Amino acid sequence: MTGWRSRSSGLSALRPEAFGAQPRGERLARIRRSPHFADGVFQNPGGTARTRPSGSTLDLAKVFLDKDTRPLRSPAGTVPVHATTYADLAQPPTTGLRVTWMGHSSVLVEIDGHRVLFDPVWGERCSPFPFAGPRRLHPVPLPLAALGPVDVVVVSHDHYDHLDMPTIKALAGTDTVFAVPLGVGAHLEHWGVSADRLRELDWHESTRVGGLTLTATPARHFCGRGLRNTQHTLWASWSVAGEEHRVYHSGDTGYFDGFREIGAAHGPFDVTMVQLGAYSEFWPDIHMTPEEGLRAHLDLQGGAPHGVLLPIHWGTFNLAPHPWAEPGEWTKEAAEEAGQALALPRPGEPFEPAGKLPADAWWRSASAPVAHLRRRPQERPAPVGFARTEADLAGER
């Protein structure tokens, strides 16, 4: 019958483009051959990780909607963004390594003559819809077009706050190479990235881009963009090694013992970019607290303070019930106690890890006071979420 469409094709037409595409054909066959894929899904290191919030929906709603604590999850004033310009980045770093945190997990790393852009998210919301979802708490430090040429874009996984369709579409029109975990290439091809510019890796696989070696390393997280989470795209952390320098980007991950193995195989690192925001007691297996993030950095560096820790995955989007400034405040406190060098740049502020590190607690100008990180003596720090923080505060009162 003329004009007839199947129900499935009609539903496909209604599918938001930002959902991306499911792996098919040889890509899907390669996924099924992966040693990290079993029982129809990718498996996490260290055993099963809870990827859905624990506790009841009612308990979660009470925490997120609490009228007294909800305002603390956003800055009380203007976030002091560094107005990055092309001139800031036009001259090569004097030490061969320069890092610019653009907010959340987006980081430009200039390493040994190459430019690597991790998890670029320039969109206004981390959502498939332009009218709903978590919105930016500060503007991007500079337009994407003003960033200059990028040799390789590295994506850690396919969640909206790490893989942003409008940003990828803009970068698809450049000459950059995309390094992504296994299966994520289906999304990028759907959005216009040609297959010959994709480097799609399973854990422990490496690729060369110019003088850099990029290796996909394990992480403890999950994936998914659509209404059904099929767990058919991998998540990863990344090691990038140049002729003189090495860096690590954690993507999203819970704490696990594998950081030691990653450090032994690919470290030590001049700088680690470690996720330590958007944590909660409701999902302790898939995101790290500041103390866990510091512990991960030390594991990556062989167990002792070394290199520079750059906290990421905080400050830009409201994704968890902890106070907005808590990751910065708690990481600063924990790193000082451990004797670990810490970089605390404003979004968009370039720094060279071998030079003077940005160390000001810039968030305090836009934040209510944050409680000190509380620890129980002789106890391994547990994933600390909003509920424990409030209990500690109640005890202090």
Side-chain angles (χ1 to χ4, degrees), residues 79-155:
V79 177
V81 174
H82 179 85
T84 314
T85 65
Y86 184 75
D88 290 323
L89 306 174
Q91 294 297 321
T94 57
T95 62
L97 179 63
R98 182 166 58 206
V99 179
T100 309
W101 178 52
M102 298 295 177
H104 202 58
S105 295
S106 302
V107 189
L108 174 68
V109 174
E110 298 165 276
I111 174 173
D112 298 338
H114 300 79
R115 305 178 95 230
V116 183
L117 185 58
F118 291 92
D119 283 358
V121 174
W122 258 250
E124 185 64 19
R125 296 182 186 272
C126 49
S127 166
F129 308 109
F131 53 84
R135 193 171 190 171
R136 283 186 166 274
L137 301 175
H138 65 78
V140 292
L142 82 168
L144 186 63
L147 195 62
V150 173
D151 295 294
V152 56
V153 171
V154 177
V155 176

Side-chain angles (χ1 to χ4, degrees), residues 187-310:
H187 299 311
L188 273 64
E189 283 194 55
H190 185 63
W191 299 331
V193 177
S194 59
D196 63 339
R197 288 165 55 204
L198 285 172
R199 307 290 187 271
E200 200 163 346
L201 306 183
D202 201 346
W203 291 340
H204 309 299
E205 291 182 342
S206 298
T207 188
R208 291 279 294 179
V209 178
L212 300 179
T213 298
L214 298 96
T215 304
T217 47
R220 188 166 168 80
H221 199 58
F222 68 112
C223 65
R225 294 179 72 86
L227 297 177
R228 293 176 61 248
N229 183 4
T230 59
Q231 294 290 77
H232 276 63
T233 64
L234 188 59
W235 47 95
S237 57
W238 288 86
S239 163
V240 178
E243 292 182 1
E244 301 291 337
H245 297 91
R246 294 171 179 264
V247 302
Y248 171 84
H249 189 283
S250 71
D252 274 3
T253 182
Y255 179 81
F256 69 113
D257 291 339
F259 292 115
R260 298 185 185 93
E261 297 175 4
I262 294 170
H266 304 286
F269 299 100
D270 297 279
V271 62
T272 68
M273 298 157 272
V274 176
Q275 173 271 310
L276 42 69
Y279 47 84
S280 172
E281 288 179 333
F282 289 102
W283 48 85
D285 295 344
I286 55 173
H287 283 167
M288 291 191 290
T289 67
E291 277 203 311
E292 289 174 318
L294 174 61
R295 190 184 313 129
H297 169 88
L298 296 175
D299 286 352
L300 290 160
Q301 305 288 33
H306 181 80
V308 176
L309 167 61
L310 171 65

Side-chain angles (χ1 to χ4, degrees), residues 290-359:
E291 277 203 311
E292 289 174 318
L294 174 61
R295 190 184 313 129
H297 169 88
L298 296 175
D299 286 352
L300 290 160
Q301 305 288 33
H306 181 80
V308 176
L309 167 61
L310 171 65
I312 61 171
H313 203 260
W314 75 286
T316 303
F317 298 106
N318 180 354
L319 302 176
H322 62 67
W324 169 74
E326 190 176 271
E329 199 70 52
W330 283 11
T331 304
K332 180 177 174 64
E333 183 177 331
E336 287 174 352
E337 289 187 10
Q340 171 59 50
L342 180 68
L344 295 168
R346 293 164 175 81
E349 182 180 3
F351 71 93
E352 300 193 27
K356 182 179 179 181
L357 299 178

Side-chain angles (χ1 to χ4, degrees), residues 354-369:
K356 182 179 179 181
L357 299 178
D360 292 341
W362 53 265
W363 55 85
R364 291 176 184 169
S365 67
S367 168

Side-chain angles (χ1 to χ4, degrees), residues 51-99:
T51 59
R52 294 181 179 275
S54 58
S56 70
T57 303
L58 180 60
D59 289 340
L60 188 63
K62 285 180 179 178
V63 169
F64 270 92
L65 299 177
D66 184 89
K67 64 181 179 63
D68 294 324
T69 56
R70 187 176 181 183
L72 300 177
R73 301 203 303 269
S74 298
T78 301
V79 177
V81 174
H82 179 85
T84 314
T85 65
Y86 184 75
D88 290 323
L89 306 174
Q91 294 297 321
T94 57
T95 62
L97 179 63
R98 182 166 58 206
V99 179

